[in-house]
Amino acid sequence: MFKKIIKGLIDQPFLTSLYVADLAILLLHKPPFAFSLVMMAALIGMSMYYGQKMALFKN
């Protein structure tokens, strides 16, 4: 499972870098409220995309 996650993240380097940067900004800084809502929406969207792409718990 861990190997599949790493492979999925390496296959999409641009989205992975956006995901990591977005998460770091939300965790380590205090952006304005409206901007943080947009960033949180982007983070949720990328998480759903990666969830579909990797399909870790597929039978």
Side-chain angles (χ1 to χ4, degrees):
M1 184 166 85
F2 184 69
K3 198 176 204 181
K4 194 172 188 180
I5 292 171
I6 297 298
K7 186 179 178 196
L9 293 175
I10 290 174
D11 287 345
Q12 302 283 332
F14 181 69
L15 284 180
T16 301
S17 63
L18 281 178
Y19 187 83
V20 170
D22 191 5
L23 185 63
I25 289 172
L26 283 174
L27 288 177
L28 302 175
H29 299 290
K30 188 170 172 130
F33 182 71
F35 185 62
S36 67
L37 281 179
V38 171
M39 290 178 67
M40 185 61 75
L43 197 63
I44 291 170
M46 284 187 280
S47 296
M48 289 190 297
Y49 171 76
Y50 278 129
Q52 281 289 337
K53 177 129 176 88
M54 292 179 201
L56 296 175
F57 302 109
K58 193 167 139 182
N59 291 333

